[in-house]
Amino acid sequence: NAKHDKPGGWALIGLALFKNDDTSGDPKIQEAAENIAKSVRENVSSLDIYSTGLCLIFLTNYDPNRYEKEIQTLIESLQRKQKPHGGWGYPDRQTGDTSMTQYGVLGSWEAKQAGFSIPQAMIDKVATWLLKTQDPSGAWGYQGAPSSNFQPIKQEEVRHSMAAAGLGSVYICADFFGMTPTV
């Protein structure tokens, strides 16, 4: 009975139902996918980074062939919204946001796993931003302040959740670069 009126919420609901028992024909899952597709077609630029990443994750897992055009539009939107320094963040701020950036990275990775092309420059930029915003403690802050080189500098609002977001994003970038072990 979960309801939501935003694409990121629809993506979470659809993904939870789909991953629960892969009931692809469930009307709630189909409704989530169609609501997302409509939102992407009508105004992708209004989606925040969280919603963009979540929609990519859901659509690429649910039906990447049927929603190929919408997935490509979401990837292009991520590319346009990436900050010049490489992170993603609030539209009205220059800083990158480690929390939002993790959704851009994960959504991109899921799209790549589904066979979509992800611009290498986008991944190069975000990986550089992540490395330049790592705190000397090894964690990440909420609003990353890039160092002028790769020497870690003190970050603000360093939290466990940001450490997980930053480290997970770095690991995913390493996979984009072919640096993760294969089994």
Side-chain angles (χ1 to χ4, degrees):
N1 289 333
K3 293 189 182 229
H4 205 281
D5 64 350
K6 296 193 187 224
W10 297 323
L12 283 174
I13 292 166
L15 192 60
L17 292 170
F18 178 71
K19 291 287 187 171
N20 181 45
D21 57 11
D22 191 16
T23 53
S24 303
D26 184 305
K28 285 280 188 203
I29 299 171
Q30 292 175 343
E31 178 184 14
E34 287 303 313
N35 283 335
I36 291 166
K38 182 179 181 210
S39 181
V40 169
R41 287 190 302 269
E42 290 178 356
N43 196 5
V44 72
S45 63
S46 71
L47 299 183
D48 60 33
I49 300 304
Y50 296 114
S51 287
T52 302
L54 289 167
C55 290
L56 277 168
I57 294 164
F58 173 59
L59 293 177
T60 57
N61 278 271
Y62 176 58
D63 195 340
N65 294 322
R66 180 174 179 182
Y67 296 104
E68 179 179 358
K69 186 175 180 181
E70 290 82 2
I71 292 166
Q72 190 58 49
T73 299
L74 288 162
I75 292 167
E76 291 165 4
S77 176
L78 263 184
Q79 190 175 14
R80 281 191 308 276
K81 292 176 181 176
Q82 189 175 31
K83 304 281 185 180
H85 50 62
W88 282 279
Y90 293 100
D92 60 339
R93 294 186 187 177
Q94 296 300 313
T95 57
D97 179 305
T98 305
S99 180
M100 285 187 203
T101 295
Q102 72 181 325
Y103 283 86
V105 171
L106 184 55
S108 298
W109 185 80
E110 289 280 0
K112 179 185 178 210
Q113 301 311 302
F116 289 86
S117 178
I118 303 300
Q120 187 63 44
M122 189 168 83
I123 302 306
D124 291 347
K125 285 172 56 176
V126 72
T128 299
W129 182 81
L130 286 161
L131 293 174
K132 287 185 170 187
T133 58
Q134 190 173 20
D135 186 78
S137 69
W140 278 262
Y142 175 53
Q143 297 292 313
S147 69
S148 60
N149 52 35
F150 290 94
Q151 185 66 37
I153 60 171
K154 180 79 176 134
Q155 300 291 318
E156 298 295 322
E157 299 184 73
V158 174
R159 304 179 194 142
H160 291 96
S161 59
M162 294 301 100
L167 186 57
S169 296
V170 167
Y171 189 77
I172 291 170
C173 287
D175 188 65
F176 267 105
F177 299 137
M179 299 170 65
T180 54
T182 56
V183 179

